[in-house]
């Protein structure tokens, strides 16, 4: 007696059904009256603020934007001026990986007293 194998037939049927479902979903979009949504090119572009970068070398020298600074007072003055100018700006500390965590933590704490939540510690993806 001959038998009909239903598994391949059901596979084809499910594939066709999936095709029609996806096609109908792509062809019918939900429209909300005459509302035109803004695109990325229209409207004002967000101003990207350049972060203030402070570096800490392994010999303990502090750099401001790549330039060696005299001391903590220069860093504080630069940070205060930057934060007053850019309320949402970010101050980034880039510390040498060979420094002890205590040295990095001390500078980071001093920076956070001035900049609060605007201070970040940079890490290298590895």
């Amino acid at each position: 007696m001959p038998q009909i194998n239903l598994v391949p037939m059901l596979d084809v049927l499910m594939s066709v059904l999936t095709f029609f479902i996806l096609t109908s979903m792509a062809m019918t979009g939900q429209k909300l009256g005459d509302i035109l949504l803004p695109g990325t090119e229209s409207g004002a572009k967000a101003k990207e603020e350049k972060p203030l970068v402070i570096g800490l070398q392994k010999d303990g020298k502090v750099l401001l934007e790549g330039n060696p600074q005299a001391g903590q007072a220069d860093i504080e003055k630069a940070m205060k001026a930057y934060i007053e100018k850019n309320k949402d700006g970010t101050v980034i500390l880039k510390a040498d990986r060979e420094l002890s965590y205590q040295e990095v933590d001390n500078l980071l704490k001093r920076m956070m007293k001035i900049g609060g939540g605007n201070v970040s510690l940079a890490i290298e993806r590895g």
Side-chain angles (χ1 to χ4, degrees), residues 6-20:
L6 293 178
V7 175
M9 194 179 334
L10 289 175
D11 286 344
V12 170
L13 181 65
M14 293 305 280
S15 297
V16 171
L17 181 64
T18 304
F19 171 76
F20 282 117

Side-chain angles (χ1 to χ4, degrees), residues 38-47:
T40 57
E41 294 178 6
S42 66
K45 293 184 179 179
K47 181 182 173 187

Side-chain angles (χ1 to χ4, degrees), residues 3-119:
Q3 292 182 344
I4 298 176
N5 194 353
L6 293 178
V7 175
M9 194 179 334
L10 289 175
D11 286 344
V12 170
L13 181 65
M14 293 305 280
S15 297
V16 171
L17 181 64
T18 304
F19 171 76
F20 282 117
I21 290 173
L22 293 176
T23 304
S24 67
M25 288 175 59
M27 294 177 79
T28 59
Q30 187 177 19
K31 189 167 181 170
L32 300 174
D34 292 330
I35 298 173
L36 297 174
L37 297 176
T40 57
E41 294 178 6
S42 66
K45 293 184 179 179
K47 181 182 173 187
E48 293 184 23
E49 298 166 354
K50 182 180 175 189
L52 177 67
V53 179
I54 297 175
L56 183 59
Q57 293 179 329
K58 62 182 172 184
D59 59 358
K61 291 182 183 174
V62 180
L63 306 173
L64 179 63
E65 293 291 332
N67 302 321
Q69 295 299 311
Q72 182 66 23
D74 295 330
I75 299 295
E76 288 180 21
K77 192 166 40 170
M79 280 184 64
K80 286 178 182 176
Y82 176 79
I83 291 172
E84 285 177 15
K85 185 177 163 185
N86 305 311
K87 298 287 183 198
D88 294 327
T90 305
V91 180
I92 299 174
L93 173 62
K94 291 187 175 183
D96 193 280
R97 70 176 63 194
E98 294 180 15
L99 286 168
S100 70
Y101 186 75
Q102 186 65 39
E103 292 174 280
V104 176
D105 188 49
N106 288 339
L107 181 57
L108 197 58
K109 283 180 182 175
R110 286 183 278 170
M111 289 171 60
M112 289 180 73
K113 284 181 184 175
I114 301 166
N118 295 9
V119 177

